[in-house]
């Protein structure tokens, strides 16, 4: 059974093997690399547009995104896993604008309204609704009015059949799957106004097939084709990247 309780999830991400393999798993394969770079582009553009003075990344892990998203002011990477913190600090010099702090995401070490931007990927969706609501409330408290939250969500219609075909036992940690109206309603109920939703990995079945070319030492070809397919619009992507603002 997938890990579902906050303490179980914390324990999983403190495992040495999980820490050691995390960055490679999220970026090495052509498909994961395409998703990673799309997330980086989204965040860089947002930082350039808003020039936030205080940015929080919750659960940065080994600084997968943080290392590629410079900030103009103070950036705080807030992570519970000691192993992930050590990996993040090894990748980033503090002169880059980021500092890393060990903390529990349910109790952010930021004064009320102290943050301009919060982003957190592959994290909030790991929890059931009651705990997601607690996380939203804490982020809402930390953000200034009109401050921005970026998070991701998996499209149930695409992700669930794929996971069932692979075997649900291959997914050790709980992961909430959404349809878009559910996602928007959940954020609005938590006090956030949805500003933009961007679909990523827009043709997942085709792109997963292309990803297999790496097994024939054609990773570069696979990545080029995956990126080309990503340019074709789709109403049913695998992943949504959501920008929302703290409502007044």
């Amino acid at each position: 059974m997938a890990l579902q309780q906050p303490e179980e999830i914390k324990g999983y991400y403190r495992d040495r093997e999980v820490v050691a393999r995390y960055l490679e798993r999220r970026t090495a394969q052509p498909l994961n690399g395409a998703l990673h770079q799309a997330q980086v582009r989204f965040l860089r553009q947002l930082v350039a547009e808003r020039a936030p003075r205080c940015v929080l990344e919750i659960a940065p892990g080994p600084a997968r995104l943080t290392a590629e998203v410079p900030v103009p002011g103070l950036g705080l990477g807030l992570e519970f896993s000691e192993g992930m913190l050590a990996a993040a600090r090894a990748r980033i010099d503090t002169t880059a604008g980021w500092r890393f702090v060990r903390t529990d995401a349910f109790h952010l070490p930021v004064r009320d309204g102290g943050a301009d931007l919060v982003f957190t990927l592959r994290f909030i969706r790991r929890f059931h609704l009651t705990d997601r609501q607690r996380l939203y409330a804490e982020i809402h408290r930390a953000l200034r009015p009109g401050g921005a939250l970026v998070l991701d969500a998996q499209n149930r219609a695409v992700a669930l059949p794929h996971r069932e075909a692979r075997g649900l036992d291959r997914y050790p940690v709980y992961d909430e799957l959404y349809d878009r109206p559910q996602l928007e309603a959940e954020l609005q109920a938590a006090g956030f106004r949805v500003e933009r939703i961007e679909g990523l990995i827009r043709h997942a079945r085709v792109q997963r097939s292309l990803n297999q070319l790496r097994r024939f030492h054609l990773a570069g070809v696979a990545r080029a084709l995956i990126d080309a397919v990503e340019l074709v619009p789709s109403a049913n992507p695998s992943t949504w990247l959501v920008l929302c603002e703290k409502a007044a």
Side-chain angles (χ1 to χ4, degrees):
M1 180 180 293
L3 304 178
Q4 302 185 26
Q5 299 305 314
E7 291 305 316
E8 294 176 325
I9 295 170
K10 287 177 184 176
Y12 177 80
Y13 287 104
R14 295 174 76 181
D15 182 272
R16 290 183 180 181
E17 183 176 352
V18 172
V19 173
R21 297 183 57 210
Y22 188 88
L23 192 63
E24 180 181 4
R25 290 181 60 196
R26 299 271 67 84
T27 61
Q29 292 187 16
L31 185 60
N32 286 342
L35 177 61
H36 168 76
Q37 286 303 320
Q39 294 166 343
V40 168
R41 285 193 298 270
F42 186 99
L43 291 166
R44 282 181 171 175
Q45 180 181 358
L46 182 62
V47 168
E49 291 170 353
R50 294 188 173 235
R53 294 169 298 173
C54 180
V55 180
L56 311 181
E57 184 181 8
I58 300 174
R64 175 178 70 88
L65 295 166
T66 324
E68 299 192 46
V69 182
V71 292
L74 172 64
L76 291 177
L78 307 175
E79 174 63 60
F80 185 81
S81 165
E82 301 96 328
M84 292 291 192
L85 275 175
R89 287 170 175 152
R91 294 190 72 215
I92 298 186
D93 190 295
T94 55
T95 58
W98 285 97
R99 292 170 47 207
F100 293 93
V101 179
R102 185 171 187 264
T103 191
D104 186 325
F106 293 92
H107 304 283
L108 300 177
V110 181
R111 63 177 173 82
D112 293 1
D116 301 295
L117 168 63
V118 175
F119 65 93
T120 181
L121 276 61
R122 301 182 62 83
F123 179 68
I124 292 179
R125 69 191 217 203
R126 296 301 193 187
F127 299 90
H128 287 283
L129 180 59
T130 300
D131 288 319
R132 295 200 303 274
Q133 289 171 332
R134 291 172 57 206
L135 290 167
Y136 290 137
E138 183 63 356
I139 293 168
H140 194 276
R141 178 198 66 77
L143 279 171
R144 65 168 175 79
L149 166 64
V150 176
L151 72 161
D152 65 337
Q154 292 280 284
N155 181 350
R156 180 187 294 110
V158 176
L160 184 57
H162 174 65
R163 293 181 181 204
E164 289 175 335
R166 294 190 73 204
L168 294 177
D169 59 328
R170 299 188 65 173
Y171 297 85
V173 182
Y174 178 80
D175 200 359
E176 179 73 14
L177 303 179
Y178 290 87
D179 58 47
R180 183 162 170 168
Q182 172 199 355
L183 174 61
E184 295 189 36
E186 180 172 301
L187 289 165
Q188 290 166 1
F192 294 97
R193 178 175 56 253
V194 176
E195 294 293 317
R196 187 185 353 152
I197 298 182
E198 183 171 325
L200 303 177
I201 309 303
R202 295 167 180 165
H203 303 276
R205 181 174 295 180
V206 172
Q207 289 166 303
R208 289 191 200 109
S209 296
L210 293 170
N211 193 49
Q212 298 306 310
L213 290 172
R214 75 188 193 281
R215 300 184 184 277
F216 303 96
H217 307 289
L218 294 170
V221 173
R223 177 59 188 273
L225 291 172
I226 288 168
D227 287 344
V229 171
E230 189 73 357
L231 297 174
V232 180
S234 168
N236 203 29
S238 173
T239 297
W240 289 298
L241 203 53
V242 185
L243 167 64
C244 49
E245 291 185 348
K246 177 179 176 176

